[in-house]
Amino acid sequence: MERLSMLDGATRMTEPGMRILITGVTGLVGARLAAQLLMSRVEIVALSRDPARAQEKVAAVSRAWKWSPELAVPEQAVQGLDAVVHLAGESVAGRWTDEKKRAIEQSRVEGTRRVVEAIAALPENQRPYVLVSASAIGYYGETGERDVREGDPPADDFLAKVCVEWEREAMKAEALGVRVVTPRLGLVMSPEGGALQRMLPIFKMGFGGKLGSGRQWWPWIHLDDVIGILQHAIAHRELRGAINATSPSPVRQSEFADVLGRVVRRPSFLPAPAFAIKTALGEFGSEVLGSRKVLPTRALESGYRFKFRELEPALRDLLG
């Protein structure tokens, strides 16, 4: 098969025989992406701390190599690739101890550096044509009522600084002739992980409600649209740099709580006070209570069509 970098974007998405490396393949997003790509007869290889578990958990993975962010990427893992999707990283959820913060930073910044170093070691004509390296809306920090788009500057808090360095390491692959896209992921909606998974048991017991004032903007996105945007980033050669992976319709957190209560048919009037959240979560509590009205401008401008633009249909699809 001819090099896929010579084909147009529409063909790349459906051409059988593509070889794509995914890091973080056992995570919520990675596992779903691998399954989706397999339907197009794409070969999926992976890097994982536990290769045997990766292949057992994610049937779409044909081969996995042992890797962690502090180690060099095995040479064999990056040979013959058409694309790399780099999703690996320590979860930001939970209390941010010094150890936790080091793990968050190292897994993202150093891990991405290792991936780019492995690409750099390949002969120029054997490098993948695209690196899709995940980032996060934490890049923007607290934004209040302001609409936020990809060209807006980063904040100066811990998570924003990590995102800046994380993206900087990924963008170094541009100098190697590799197109780089850094999707900034919003609050990914799935009952299998993330914020929704944590909230569901509380709401199903009738103890749900707004968090803090509830006026903060929540930039949610259905898992299917995260997968869609990642595939869109692989396919469309005009896309470079940051792209917000969020719904076009962010909602205030109080509205999110009301809609979730309605979908699970339970009341949602018991608020979680801001002081309790900050006491329980420390510095991470500010992330939970922060307002980010992040809009997917570049996704829309490049022709991506959202499957779920509105919250209630998204939650009804996810929760049956």
Side-chain angles (χ1 to χ4, degrees):
M1 188 178 73
E2 65 179 306
R3 286 288 298 170
L4 291 169
S5 57
M6 298 172 65
L7 304 175
D8 64 33
T11 305
R12 289 180 198 158
M13 287 301 296
T14 57
E15 184 73 20
M18 287 180 66
R19 194 166 195 254
I20 297 179
L21 173 68
I22 301 177
T23 75
V25 75
T26 59
L28 176 67
V29 174
R32 179 68 67 89
L33 176 63
Q36 188 67 32
L37 290 172
L38 185 65
M39 293 173 64
S40 299
R41 290 186 289 165
V42 170
E43 181 187 0
I44 304 299
V45 296
L47 297 175
S48 175
R49 292 180 184 274
D50 187 341
R53 177 176 174 271
Q55 289 190 267
E56 180 181 351
K57 181 178 178 181
V58 185
V61 174
S62 65
R63 177 76 188 274
W65 284 268
K66 187 174 181 61
W67 177 74
S68 56
E70 65 274 11
L71 300 176
V73 174
E75 181 180 347
Q76 316 95 290
V78 293
Q79 292 177 346
L81 298 176
D82 295 294
V84 176
V85 182
H86 179 42
L87 303 171
E90 173 77 13
S91 171
V92 300
R95 179 175 283 276
W96 285 356
T97 62
D98 289 344
E99 182 179 0
K100 175 77 168 179
K101 290 170 79 170
R102 280 194 299 272
I104 290 170
E105 182 174 11
Q106 181 190 51
S107 65
R108 285 162 173 75
V109 178
E110 188 171 339
T112 305
R113 183 181 303 133
R114 298 290 190 181
V115 170
V116 174
E117 287 173 349
I119 293 172
L122 293 168
E124 186 174 352
N125 65 348
Q126 295 180 24
R127 292 168 184 162
Y129 68 80
V130 62
L131 167 63
V132 179
S133 183
S135 184
I137 57 167
Y139 178 95
Y140 303 110
E142 167 66 47
T143 62
E145 295 295 305
R146 177 169 55 89
D147 288 355
V148 178
R149 296 176 174 83
E150 287 87 352
D152 285 15
D156 194 40
D157 58 30
F158 165 71
L159 196 54
K161 290 177 179 177
V162 169
C163 288
V164 168
E165 292 301 315
W166 189 9
E167 293 184 17
R168 181 175 292 141
E169 292 297 332
M171 292 305 297
K172 290 178 180 178
E174 285 272 350
L176 305 172
V178 177
R179 179 170 61 88
V180 179
V181 187
T182 55
R184 293 172 181 162
L185 303 188
L187 298 171
V188 180
M189 294 292 106
S190 169
E192 299 171 4
L196 183 59
Q197 182 190 49
R198 291 179 174 86
M199 297 173 75
L200 264 179
I202 299 171
F203 274 76
K204 286 182 175 180
M205 290 187 292
F207 297 137
K210 65 183 182 181
L211 302 179
S213 71
R215 289 192 54 77
Q216 64 270 33
W217 288 99
W218 265 31
W220 65 276
I221 182 169
H222 190 293
L223 177 59
D224 284 356
D225 279 315
V226 175
I227 302 309
I229 287 175
L230 292 175
Q231 291 182 284
H232 186 74
I234 294 170
H236 287 75
R237 58 186 170 189
E238 74 277 11
L239 276 177
R240 294 177 181 272
I243 178 171
N244 291 333
T246 58
S247 161
S249 307
V251 298
R252 296 192 188 275
Q253 203 283 320
S254 58
E255 181 182 350
F256 183 95
D258 289 344
V259 173
L260 179 55
R262 186 160 62 245
V263 170
V264 299
R265 299 180 181 180
R266 294 290 187 275
S268 56
F269 56 83
L270 294 175
F275 77 86
I277 294 171
K278 290 180 179 178
T279 299
L281 298 178
E283 189 176 354
F284 180 63
S286 297
E287 294 296 317
V288 174
L289 297 168
S291 180
R292 297 178 180 86
K293 195 178 181 184
V294 181
L295 302 176
T297 303
R298 294 197 67 206
L300 294 169
E301 288 178 348
S302 61
Y304 180 73
R305 296 183 180 180
F306 279 83
K307 186 175 179 181
F308 296 96
R309 298 176 68 99
E310 304 296 333
L311 179 63
E312 186 158 344
L315 292 182
R316 290 195 182 281
D317 175 76
L318 289 164
L319 303 177

